[in-house]
Amino acid sequence: MRLLTLLVLRLMAVVLLCLVVAVGCLIIDAHRSIESDVSATSQRVNTHLQGLYWQHLVWRNGMARGTLMTLPEWKSVATQSIISPGVCVTYAPPGADQQTLCSQVEVLGPQAPQWFVAAYLDILGPHEPIAQNLSIRDSSAGVFVTSADPDAALRRAWREISTVVQFAIMMAGAIAFLAAVMIGHALMPARAIIDALRKLEGGELALKLNKFKSTEFNHISNAVNRLAATLHQNNSERLALTNRLFQVQEDERRSIARDLHDEFGQALAATAALATVIEAGAPADRPDIAKDARSITKAQKRMMDALRTTLVRLRSQSIEELGLEASLRQLINDFNAQSNSGTVYKLHMSGRIATLPKCIAVDLYRIAQECLTNASKHGRPTEVSVRLEHVAETAPHVALTIEDDGGGDASKIRTGSGHGILGIRERLAGIGGALSIGNAPRGLRILAVVPTSAPEALA
């Protein structure tokens, strides 16, 4: 989940929690307000009815004989005016039936929905009525009961709460929008940092982040810049070391090839000459000696062929002496001559190949040699094509393409840990090139591109 979305959701959760707490406080406050209105109404009605009661006593000249006569009509406009909205008063005058007087309910707002009624009653319960004796001196004066009309109480609570909730929802929406804008603006440096890290992953080690207004993001930016500088330095050192290692490797190959040619070559030549002499001088009655001599000659030829093949793989001085074009032609001829499976190796070249720097020529030769070896060793192609093209126009570069029809999965080769592909990548990195491995119509295609204008290429 994106950080902006996560922060907005957390903010909305806090706002929702505050809204729930506020609604709960409003419900409790509305409940207490209704109870307060009931209590205040009870006090006012008590005072009013007591006035009527004592007025009745005075008008009737004190206590009458027998039962006290009915009070004057108490359900009047004067009585209703002192009853709070949503409150009912129930009273039974002496000698009369019980009567109830309620204030208007409609003025308190619309009727509350059933889910609110159920929740309200479950949480707070109904309001308790207040019962009072009209006179503490005369119990026969009767008792009046002041209570909250259930429908009126719910209407009142719903009106207050719905109004606040609507306002709170609008406020929450506004807060969410403004928070998203402000948080998004505050997190903009994070996008730049992420883009920089992706560029670092892609090999752009020369990048540098600018300073941000936020101190925290500045710390991250400085860390990324230090990481980029360190990676750039380490990469430069690694490339220099890689080039040096390949140069040492080439020198060592030349030395081994020279020793093999001078020592083993002469020894094998002497062995062949000695075997010929032995075969020529063998007695007629000892044909086994001539046979053994011929066996030695055959073994010597096989060893000489193996030595020549090894020398071809080891020696690169032919590139310096003959050039890359002739060396590649000789390499293709050797593979065609040594092919036991009928694989045909082809070579196509275009452009000014002879003008390539020596370091590029040697590496391209080794890359072609490694790819041809892998194609013949790990697959069964019927045709392997090598194409070398030097482009000297807009973006000068040299492209080496090796394509075969022996099948294979390019994804496995790209993600594999083989030393051959790793060595090719290291060679190309040392001269500023890039390697691409993909599927051909019936096999694999390996493309090595080296920019001839790069500083590494011209070194």
Side-chain angles (χ1 to χ4, degrees):
M1 182 180 294
R2 295 182 58 187
L3 180 59
L4 176 60
T5 304
L6 181 61
L7 292 176
V8 172
L9 289 178
R10 289 184 176 180
L11 178 62
M12 292 304 299
V14 173
V15 172
L16 181 61
L17 178 61
C18 295
L19 180 60
V20 171
V21 173
V23 170
C25 293
L26 285 174
I27 293 176
I28 295 174
D29 183 70
H31 188 80
R32 291 178 178 176
S33 177
I34 294 172
E35 290 181 344
S36 177
D37 287 348
V38 171
S39 177
T41 299
S42 177
Q43 295 296 328
R44 291 194 299 269
V45 171
N46 183 33
T47 302
H48 179 67
L49 292 181
Q50 282 186 5
L52 292 178
Y53 175 76
W54 291 111
Q55 181 183 8
H56 169 70
L57 291 180
V58 172
W59 285 356
R60 297 299 179 182
N61 194 21
M63 299 296 292
R65 292 187 301 273
T67 304
L68 187 66
M69 295 182 65
T70 305
L71 284 174
E73 179 62 36
W74 68 277
K75 293 179 60 177
S76 61
V77 176
T79 304
Q80 192 169 15
S81 65
I82 61 175
I83 300 176
S84 299
V87 180
C88 296
V89 176
T90 302
Y91 178 60
D97 296 330
Q98 178 177 287
Q99 298 180 4
T100 301
L101 180 62
C102 297
S103 66
Q104 294 182 356
V105 176
E106 291 75 9
V107 297
L108 297 176
Q111 190 173 7
Q114 290 299 321
W115 63 267
F116 179 79
V117 173
Y120 184 89
L121 295 178
D122 289 341
I123 296 174
L124 300 176
H127 296 277
E128 295 293 334
I130 299 176
Q132 284 184 294
N133 292 320
L134 181 60
S135 175
I136 60 175
R137 297 181 180 86
D138 186 4
S139 59
S140 63
V143 177
F144 71 93
V145 179
T146 308
S147 62
D149 187 336
D151 182 55
L154 293 170
R155 284 172 181 259
R156 179 175 177 178
W158 173 248
R159 183 190 64 183
E160 296 181 2
I161 293 171
S162 61
T163 302
V164 173
V165 168
Q166 291 177 2
F167 179 75
I169 290 175
M170 291 188 294
M171 286 293 295
I175 291 174
F177 175 75
L178 294 177
V181 174
M182 295 179 64
I183 295 174
H185 184 268
L187 293 179
M188 287 181 64
R191 300 178 182 177
I193 293 173
I194 293 174
D195 292 339
L197 291 175
R198 288 175 177 171
K199 291 179 180 179
L200 282 179
E201 183 183 10
E204 298 183 27
L205 305 181
L207 64 87
K208 185 176 181 181
L209 286 173
N210 298 323
K211 290 186 176 181
F212 301 110
K213 296 181 180 179
S214 173
T215 304
E216 291 76 8
F217 282 120
N218 270 332
H219 291 326
I220 299 175
S221 173
N222 293 333
V224 172
N225 290 336
R226 289 194 297 270
L227 175 62
T230 302
L231 290 176
H232 187 271
Q233 180 180 357
N234 292 341
N235 189 60
S236 300
E237 295 175 354
R238 182 181 63 83
L239 292 178
L241 179 60
T242 300
N243 289 332
R244 177 56 183 164
L245 288 176
F246 281 125
Q247 183 61 42
V248 171
Q249 183 185 63
E250 291 297 330
D251 294 340
E252 187 67 20
R253 283 180 171 181
R254 292 192 189 97
S255 177
I256 295 174
R258 183 170 55 252
D259 292 341
L260 288 175
H261 180 271
D262 295 342
E263 301 294 335
F264 287 90
Q266 293 180 8
L268 289 174
T271 301
L274 183 59
T276 302
V277 171
I278 293 174
E279 181 183 2
D285 57 343
R286 294 292 305 275
D288 57 321
I289 296 177
K291 181 180 180 181
D292 292 339
R294 287 191 295 270
S295 298
I296 293 174
T297 302
K298 291 180 181 179
Q300 186 272 342
K301 288 182 179 180
R302 290 195 298 270
M303 293 178 65
M304 187 62 74
D305 292 338
L307 179 60
R308 290 194 185 96
T309 302
T310 303
L311 291 176
V312 169
R313 292 183 55 83
L314 289 175
R315 296 177 64 180
S316 62
Q317 62 263 33
S318 59
I319 301 176
E320 302 175 4
E321 297 171 358
L322 305 177
L324 180 59
E325 296 183 36
S327 299
L328 286 177
R329 289 193 180 95
Q330 182 60 45
L331 180 65
I332 295 298
N333 292 334
D334 291 339
F335 270 91
N336 282 321
Q338 298 169 10
S339 177
N340 297 323
S341 59
T343 304
V344 178
Y345 297 87
K346 296 182 179 180
L347 175 65
H348 306 276
M349 290 184 289
S350 63
R352 301 173 62 186
I353 306 299
T355 61
L356 292 175
K358 181 182 67 175
C359 61
I360 293 181
V362 172
D363 287 328
L364 290 176
Y365 177 83
R366 291 301 183 192
I367 292 172
Q369 187 181 52
E370 180 67 28
C371 291
L372 291 176
T373 302
N374 290 338
S376 62
K377 183 185 299 184
H378 302 294
R380 293 184 176 274
T382 60
E383 181 178 311
V384 179
S385 175
V386 178
R387 181 180 297 275
L388 183 64
E389 181 181 9
H390 183 203
V391 178
E393 283 76 22
T394 54
H397 69 276
V398 57
L400 175 64
T401 306
I402 297 92
E403 182 177 328
D404 63 59
D405 58 358
D409 188 353
S411 60
K412 293 182 179 179
I413 297 178
R414 284 194 296 266
T415 58
S417 57
H419 295 289
I421 296 298
L422 179 60
I424 292 174
R425 293 186 188 278
E426 291 295 333
R427 283 186 179 275
L428 289 173
I431 56 177
L435 180 67
S436 175
I437 303 175
N439 291 317
R442 292 187 296 170
L444 296 175
R445 179 186 293 111
I446 297 178
L447 172 63
V449 178
V450 180
T452 54
S453 59
E456 296 86 348
L458 300 177

